[in-house]
Amino acid sequence: MSIIKILFCVTFLLLLSVLIFQISSSDATDDSALYVSESNRLQYIINSEFPIEEDEIVFNWQYSSLKTKTTNSSSTWTITSTPLIVGEYTYVACDDTIYKLKTSTGACVCTAKREFNGPSFYHYLGYGGNVIIDYNKGQLFDLDLKQFASLNKTIKGSWYHDGKHYVVFSESGSVLKLKALTVNSGDKNSIKYSSLNLDVTGWYGMYGQFSAPVFKDNQMYYISTTTTKDDSGSTIPDKIMLNWVNLESGEKKTLNLNLNGRYLDDGWLTLDGNNMYLPTYSSGLFNVGDERSAITCIKLSDGGGMKEEFTKFFDESGITSNFIVYNNRGYINVNLSSKESSDRQAKMYVFDMTTFGADSSPIYKTTTCYTHGGIVLNKYGSEENGLVHIYLVPYESGTITGNYLCMVEDGPNHIKSRMVSYKSASSGNSGAHNYSTQTIRAGAHGELLWYRDLGQVVCFTSIEDKKYTIFLEHNGDAKWVELTENELRGIGNSNITISDKTITSYSIDDSTVDNFKLYYYRDGLGWVNQFKNSYGKTITLNSTIGNSEGSAYRIINTSGGGVINYLILSDSIDAPSESDVYYNKNNGDRISLGSYLSDRNLLGALLTKTEPQIVPALPGYSVQGKAETNPVETTITVTIEKKQDSVNLENPMLLVIAQYEKNVAVNVYSKVGPFIDNKVVEKVKVSSPSLQLITIDLVDGFQEGVYTSYGTYSYIQGSSQPEPEPDFMLNGGETITLNSGQVYRIDLADPRMFQELKTVRLLDMDEVEIPGSTVEVTDIAYPTEPVGNRYHLRFTLKITAPSFDLAFLTDGYVTIMVKIVGNEPLLTLDESTVTTNATTLDSGKTYKIDYTYNGVKDSLGEMKVYSGNFEVIPDYTIVTKDVRFSQDSSGVRHLYFLLTVTGPSVESAYLTDGDIMFLVKIVGS
């Protein structure tokens, strides 16, 4: 069997034998441990490379589940959870669904169903050790959102420390129990509880949030409270207590703090050495108190010793943030109450922690934004310049500090701050500010994310990292291109080339000059024509693009919730759909427009609407090898046998690709001698030091780019047996055809290191598992070092499934597009005879139909069973799928589809959609 491959490296000609030269190298990608930013516990101090100045950042994306419901009552408040970030992905939950989003783009990669307990103001996800814990019923998911177990109890909070999950369960009534467990991701039988089973009733939480504990070695501290009623009957705080727990023995101690009647925001605790800090206040969002805001210091000692040292009061009484201590400086943000200021504003205090006490004056305090969330300190670069940056997200915007994300810059020599209000970066996107009761989380690559009470998660990034993926189409030719923010702003100043066609003059506005139209992709709504939505603003892409409100990239950013990084610019698409089909000009692969929304492997590939005529692969050659190696050189004896009916090669050559450590790859050619009795033997020699892999392909002449291999032999250095010849060598983006029940050897290459292969499923383009399909993956091999500049995943694959025109195999990380040739019986039906000769159909069985007809038909309607009197016969379920139309070389038109009819027996009836019709006999089950 001949295989299509792609040649990337420079080639040399050597006759008879081969000598290897080093020609290129690059550093391998360092994929270290997964980055984590938790949903239910604020990471006070981050180390994230994020731009400082306002003109260096840009709004990236906004995500809101279509299941979001917001009112003024927690009894109906159903919103997106506070985000959990693990590695390259962000996880959020809303209603009965958990979503996995690509952090860089906001694209929804996959979803999972969860049991939903009901509405609340705040929702969280627990995480630790590659396990996601949903609070509603304690469902456990892996990072691909595959549920593998359940704790079968409602959870109030879950935190991960020293390899264990510490979980607070809601027992009968208001009783809360703290338990510890371990679990291995994906293994439902690995859940093991420790002996810890501690009553923690009264643990502080309100409106759905639950205050996070602080861990110190084998100890844990948490806040508990009691409540009382005021004169109006409303619940108000009463006693506030700090609790200590020995996690090994279960011993517990409680300190009643002298803070009765004061408010806690999220119940933030800050540990600095042996000092624990707790902020409190008296004026909330809807009330004004008489007492000033404060920070209380509790001295800790061994064995659970706790002593209330002092309480430092501020000049203001409003909501108070968490307290951050870094490099001997303390930072805290205190809101002004409505009585203290008619404008929503706050003050940030900066203290010298070497002298901090009840009577300390700040080094300075500065005006900031009014928040109802915490503050986060970014220490990136502080070792070089001493500067730190504190981020705040406003709850209500005021006129003094601006409307958007704010940052305060501080350093050891500062006696006042420098504050940046990122207003213009959010211009046109009012959804990025106001009503944010949480502060920022940092993504793995410097993205800044936060949650809003109205149910959105928003993301900002640097202007260099912001990417738009644009599908350009002109007269049926198309390709995906990727533009940065700056490139998109200047799109009108440069030509865009599709194949040999260049778009040199276009604008997009109400008059649609040159008939080009712009669409953007929005999750849940698919492709939306910008001119048919409610935003109603004109878009012009031309040389006048700049920073004005009318710029294309600004209007795109006002598109509301969902992914807005994917665009279509076309003069021929009227109503784009995710199921629109294109073909790769290089190899004829069939490609769904929607399948690449979160996969950029096709960037730059030339596509077309016209299905190319691909010449069927001719039988190949048998290429076998035997390797002999020593420290100096490796010799491969290659035996080539011509199979029956194989194509004759005009210039047979061996293309030898030797791949070494540090991404060194060398391609050379060796001339193949004359075949004697359809057989020839050649020797190939390569240098042994640092050798990893040799791949030898039989080709016809010198090759460039995509080439045909008529036989392949591979040798992995150090292996005692030669690597089996793969049936498919994949680089990502290809669509391969698989026969149901047949075994294939797959070699999948990727610039990223492969994770452990999880359960592989066969899904349709709506990400629904195909009924009746089974996927068997065996003989999995994960080379841990890159070969050339790519890692390889090798495995044996067997799929049993019905025919399917376009589907994909995935474990949530690895994805392969496939066409399945099932084993359903083929029924060939001719329009001229199908109404006289009955076709027998077994109830519930799927058939492949080839229906030939005259005239014009481009769609298949809903099919029904009719009697001889043309009355509908009830109780039949009819399923048609994978419908396609074609015309053969003789001009005969064909309608192909899969047909399943389920129902009772009938001796003679008609099956029709009102256009095509054929006589059937149905054998009931």
Side-chain angles (χ1 to χ4, degrees), residues 602-617:
L602 272 188
L603 282 176
L606 297 179
L607 311 177
T608 179
K609 287 294 290 184
T610 304
E611 183 174 5
Q613 298 300 312
I614 303 297
V615 177

Side-chain angles (χ1 to χ4, degrees), residues 604-882:
L606 297 179
L607 311 177
T608 179
K609 287 294 290 184
T610 304
E611 183 174 5
Q613 298 300 312
I614 303 297
V615 177
L618 295 173
Y621 290 68
S622 170
V623 178
Q624 303 294 327
K626 182 179 180 181
E628 298 177 4
T629 185
N630 60 52
V632 178
E633 67 179 11
T634 296
T635 302
I636 309 289
T637 302
V638 182
T639 302
I640 307 167
E641 292 187 74
K642 184 181 179 183
K643 297 179 181 179
Q644 186 177 4
D645 299 326
S646 292
V647 64
N648 290 317
L649 304 181
E650 294 183 2
N651 186 18
M653 306 184 79
L654 292 179
L655 170 56
V656 182
I657 304 176
Q659 296 170 325
Y660 290 81
E661 294 177 359
K662 296 184 179 180
N663 294 333
V664 177
V666 179
N667 301 346
V668 294
Y669 284 100
S670 175
K671 184 72 175 176
V672 174
F675 284 82
I676 300 176
D677 295 329
N678 292 324
K679 183 177 179 180
V680 66
V681 177
E682 302 287 354
K683 285 189 180 292
V684 172
K685 295 184 179 181
V686 301
S687 56
S688 292
S690 301
L691 178 66
Q692 292 182 323
L693 172 69
I694 300 174
T695 301
I696 300 175
D697 284 303
L698 177 65
V699 297
D700 193 6
F702 294 101
Q703 307 295 315
E704 292 184 9
V706 178
Y707 68 94
T708 299
S709 171
Y710 295 90
T712 300
Y713 168 79
S714 296
Y715 169 74
I716 299 177
Q717 182 72 313
S719 63
S720 58
Q721 297 294 329
E723 181 77 3
E725 178 180 333
D727 297 289
F728 294 101
M729 300 278 288
L730 306 178
N731 288 290
E734 304 97 333
T735 299
I736 60 176
T737 299
L738 304 177
N739 292 322
S740 175
Q742 186 171 334
V743 177
Y744 297 91
R745 185 68 182 168
I746 306 295
D747 185 311
L748 179 61
D750 196 280
R752 305 164 296 178
M753 181 181 290
F754 286 97
Q755 302 174 359
E756 181 181 352
L757 197 63
K758 307 290 185 183
T759 301
V760 179
R761 298 184 297 162
L762 182 65
L763 307 180
D764 62 21
M765 301 316 297
D766 293 323
E767 300 186 14
V768 176
E769 190 162 4
I770 295 175
S773 64
T774 61
V775 181
E776 299 176 37
V777 177
T778 56
D779 302 330
I780 305 171
Y782 306 91
T784 57
E785 296 295 330
V787 179
N789 62 349
R790 301 171 80 83
Y791 294 90
H792 286 257
L793 171 63
R794 301 183 180 97
F795 56 92
T796 299
L797 173 68
K798 179 183 177 181
I799 297 176
T800 304
S803 295
F804 221 84
D805 210 33
L806 187 62
F808 62 97
L809 287 164
T810 183
D811 72 337
Y813 181 81
V814 173
T815 299
I816 302 174
M817 303 301 299
V818 296
K819 176 179 179 180
I820 305 297
V821 179
N823 51 11
E824 304 92 348
L826 174 65
L827 299 179
T828 302
L829 307 177
D830 187 276
E831 184 180 51
S832 62
T833 60
V834 291
T835 57
T836 56
N837 301 326
T839 300
T840 300
L841 303 176
D842 290 336
S843 174
K845 189 172 184 178
T846 301
Y847 296 87
K848 291 184 243 182
I849 304 296
D850 178 358
Y851 186 94
T852 58
Y853 63 97
N854 295 313
V856 177
K857 183 174 179 61
D858 58 6
S859 64
L860 182 64
E862 180 183 4
M863 301 199 79
K864 297 180 181 179
V865 178
Y866 288 81
S867 68
N869 297 325
F870 289 97
E871 295 178 349
V872 175
I873 304 177
D875 302 326
Y876 283 97
T877 300
I878 302 170
V879 177
T880 58
K881 58 184 180 180
D882 291 355

Side-chain angles (χ1 to χ4, degrees), residues 536-550:
K537 296 183 179 179
T538 298
I539 297 179
T540 302
L541 298 182
N542 53 35
S543 59
T544 64
I545 283 183
N547 293 324
S548 66
E549 183 66 20

Side-chain angles (χ1 to χ4, degrees), residues 556-613:
I556 291 165
N557 283 343
T558 68
S559 60
V563 180
I564 55 174
N565 298 324
Y566 295 93
L567 310 170
I568 289 178
L569 181 63
S570 171
D571 63 350
S572 53
I573 297 179
D574 292 322
S577 168
E578 295 178 52
S579 60
D580 287 352
V581 172
Y582 293 83
Y583 299 91
N584 191 317
K585 282 192 171 184
N586 287 330
N587 54 27
D589 284 347
R590 178 179 167 134
I591 297 157
S592 166
L593 179 63
S595 64
Y596 288 93
L597 290 178
S598 57
D599 184 347
R600 296 181 175 178
N601 288 328
L602 272 188
L603 282 176
L606 297 179
L607 311 177
T608 179
K609 287 294 290 184
T610 304
E611 183 174 5
Q613 298 300 312

